[in-house]
Amino acid sequence: RREDPSELVSVLAQAKATAIQNRMKEKENALLITCDQVVVHEGKILEKPVDADEARKFIRGYANAPASTVGAIAVTQLDTGKVEMEVDQANIFFTAIPDDKIDYLIKEGEVFYCAGGLMVEHELVTPHVVKIEGTMDAVMGLPKALVLKLLSNFFD
């Protein structure tokens, strides 16, 4: 496992491309988009929370320091193997999320499917987002402008 978030997501996005590419039969004139994303908080890469206590710790902690999403997007031309890849980062600043809202999020269960339990789009979380440096689609894992930029590198 890589300690550097940018390196980790780059390696994982490329590994996904390789795995898919090896299973595809038709590769002519095909572009494959793969990606990976992690949440970083206070210098640590956060995984999906394993239990309610960890989810609560992650979500409470976001009021103390911004959370960052670090994501890699790779576009692979399947017949040539050419790869265009970039890493994107967004920083999310929060006010404290009240415990009753955190409890509801945990009971609902969706936080366990998100790295760091980070769900900025949730109606209970959105009011506590003070500022996003970057784009919302980057926070969600697929920055459209970056995808279009990478795709444009394959066309004259």
Side-chain angles (χ1 to χ4, degrees), residues 95-109:
T95 59
I97 299 172
D99 284 343
D100 62 323
K101 290 184 181 182
I102 294 173
D103 291 340
Y104 184 86
L105 292 167
I106 290 168
K107 183 179 178 186
E108 189 178 61

Side-chain angles (χ1 to χ4, degrees), residues 31-56:
L31 294 174
L32 175 64
I33 300 171
T34 54
C35 55
D36 198 77
Q37 183 183 56
V38 296
V39 172
V40 178
H41 186 248
E42 295 183 324
K44 293 174 61 176
I45 296 172
L46 302 183
E47 303 287 345
K48 295 172 185 168
V50 296
D51 57 28
D53 289 338
E54 188 170 57
R56 192 171 285 107

Side-chain angles (χ1 to χ4, degrees), residues 6-71:
S6 296
E7 185 180 338
L8 176 62
V9 294
S10 296
V11 166
L12 292 173
Q14 185 59 53
K16 290 176 182 181
T18 300
I20 294 168
Q21 188 173 8
N22 289 339
R23 294 178 13 204
M24 291 186 65
K25 292 183 180 13
E26 185 61 43
K27 297 181 181 181
E28 191 172 334
N29 296 320
L31 294 174
L32 175 64
I33 300 171
T34 54
C35 55
D36 198 77
Q37 183 183 56
V38 296
V39 172
V40 178
H41 186 248
E42 295 183 324
K44 293 174 61 176
I45 296 172
L46 302 183
E47 303 287 345
K48 295 172 185 168
V50 296
D51 57 28
D53 289 338
E54 188 170 57
R56 192 171 285 107
K57 177 184 171 190
F58 287 170
I59 297 167
R60 281 183 181 151
Y62 298 142
N64 300 329
S68 300
T69 57
V70 180

